[in-house]
Amino acid sequence: MKKWSFALLSLMLIAVLAACGNNKDADSGADNAAGAPRTVELKVGASPTPHAEILESIKPELEAQGIRLQVVTFNDYVQPNQQLADKKLDANFFQHQPYLDTENKERGFNLVTVTPVHVEPFGGYSKKIKSLDELADGAKVAIPNDPSNGGRALLLLAKEGIITLKDNTNITSTIQDITANPKNLEIIELDAAMMPRQLDEADLVFINANYALEANLNPAKDALLIEDLQGNPYANILVSREDNKDADAIQKLAAALHSEEVKTFIKERYQGAVEPATE
């Protein structure tokens, strides 16, 4: 009887020790889970080129900091701001400050600039003429229909003496501000995304650099007239909402976009078509 009692006690002791061991493992697992860095999801809207490409290049760096970057691409300039305002995105990266100012004013957004990232020189292109001297009387000229980018096109035409504006420094000039058009140009306004398709139709087409790159055009080599990069007010910016602009993940994203690795990536990949912005 004593032997059976001793055996039963031994079995009970083994079971208790095993249970303790299991509990210790469970506690240890909980501690490890609690100590592990929490991954933050960050959803950023961007134009495919060059914005999304730049963002894709910094994914590993952000992943190492506990940020999983999801890049959502858009082929228009309307949805990225609308979805950011609707909190479907955490940030976007596709626009310059004058465009953002216009969007905030006209659509009632409260979106804010986090940091400038790069400059894309805006230019005029043609398949029909080789130089501006060949621009004929009554030529068809296509410009973007949004106020800020349309104004850029008109300023470039004015700078070349092709037209005259009420104020040759007003970046939001419209066709109503043209005071002289000696070549009787037919100026048509279309959505910026449609500009590359106008190259077969119009004599001179003004194209934002992201759409030019997608159409295999290099602004530095192919544009007949192009903006100066120095003092350019159209740096492309990382944009967020007022309520999340200071969030840790947004600030880490901004820092990554200013790294030396990103500056090198921009210079080597785009060969002058895109340049890092100065802060």
Side-chain angles (χ1 to χ4, degrees):
M1 185 71 180
K2 289 183 179 180
K3 290 182 178 180
W4 282 107
S5 298
F6 180 77
L8 181 60
L9 287 172
S10 298
L11 289 171
M12 291 174 63
L13 179 60
I14 291 170
V16 170
L17 290 173
C20 289
N22 288 336
N23 287 339
K24 183 178 180 181
D25 289 342
D27 290 342
S28 176
D31 290 341
N32 287 339
R38 184 171 62 89
T39 298
V40 176
E41 299 280 351
L42 196 61
K43 186 181 291 188
V44 181
S47 296
T49 304
H51 309 80
E53 295 169 352
I54 294 170
L55 289 169
E56 290 289 342
S57 77
I58 60 173
K59 274 188 173 182
E61 178 183 348
L62 292 174
E63 189 78 30
Q65 298 181 62
I67 299 169
R68 183 171 295 121
L69 180 62
Q70 180 182 351
V71 181
V72 183
T73 58
F74 295 88
N75 288 308
D76 70 282
Y77 289 165
V78 176
Q79 285 303 308
N81 279 337
Q82 184 64 62
Q83 293 200 22
L84 178 58
D86 292 341
K87 297 189 176 182
K88 295 177 181 178
L89 297 171
D90 300 302
N92 67 42
F93 175 35
F94 76 98
Q95 65 194 314
H96 50 64
Q97 189 67 52
Y99 184 82
L100 175 62
D101 292 342
T102 300
E103 286 276 280
N104 279 337
K105 180 179 179 180
E106 294 187 353
R107 303 182 68 191
F109 295 148
N110 188 27
L111 307 179
V112 296
T113 300
V114 179
T115 186
V117 180
H118 70 265
V119 178
E120 299 177 12
F122 182 80
Y125 303 81
S126 180
K127 285 186 177 181
K128 299 188 176 185
I129 60 175
K130 299 296 183 183
S131 72
L132 292 177
D133 295 336
E134 299 176 21
L135 195 63
D137 188 79
K140 187 176 181 180
V141 177
I143 69 173
N145 63 2
D146 62 273
S148 57
N149 288 310
R152 295 171 85 178
L154 296 175
L155 289 182
L156 279 173
L157 289 169
K159 183 179 178 181
E160 296 294 330
I162 297 172
I163 63 170
T164 303
L165 297 169
K166 291 178 184 177
D167 180 357
N168 287 347
T169 64
N170 180 10
I171 63 176
T172 59
S173 293
T174 69
I175 56 176
Q176 282 73 39
D177 296 312
I178 297 174
T179 57
N181 181 9
K183 286 183 177 286
N184 300 303
L185 301 177
E186 179 190 353
I187 301 176
I188 61 171
E189 298 175 288
L190 297 168
D191 186 85
M194 296 177 62
M195 290 295 109
R197 283 175 275 174
Q198 291 300 307
L199 286 168
D200 292 322
E201 305 294 332
D203 298 284
L204 183 63
V205 182
F206 286 89
I207 309 176
N208 289 77
N210 61 300
Y211 293 129
L213 290 169
E214 289 175 26
N216 296 316
L217 295 168
N218 185 321
K221 299 176 182 178
D222 299 320
L224 295 185
L225 65 168
I226 192 169
E227 292 174 338
D228 293 329
L229 287 178
Q230 295 299 320
N232 191 303
Y234 301 103
N236 280 217
I237 50 181
L238 177 67
V239 173
S240 67
R241 295 184 306 276
E242 184 69 40
D243 68 301
N244 72 341
K245 65 182 177 66
D246 296 319
D248 184 61
I250 295 290
Q251 292 302 311
K252 285 179 177 177
L253 171 60
L257 287 169
H258 280 287
S259 68
E260 288 303 316
E261 289 78 11
V262 165
K263 292 176 183 177
T264 299
F265 175 86
I266 290 173
K267 288 180 176 292
E268 290 181 351
R269 187 176 184 93
Y270 303 110
Q271 298 294 305
V274 180
E275 290 288 340
T278 55
E279 294 184 72

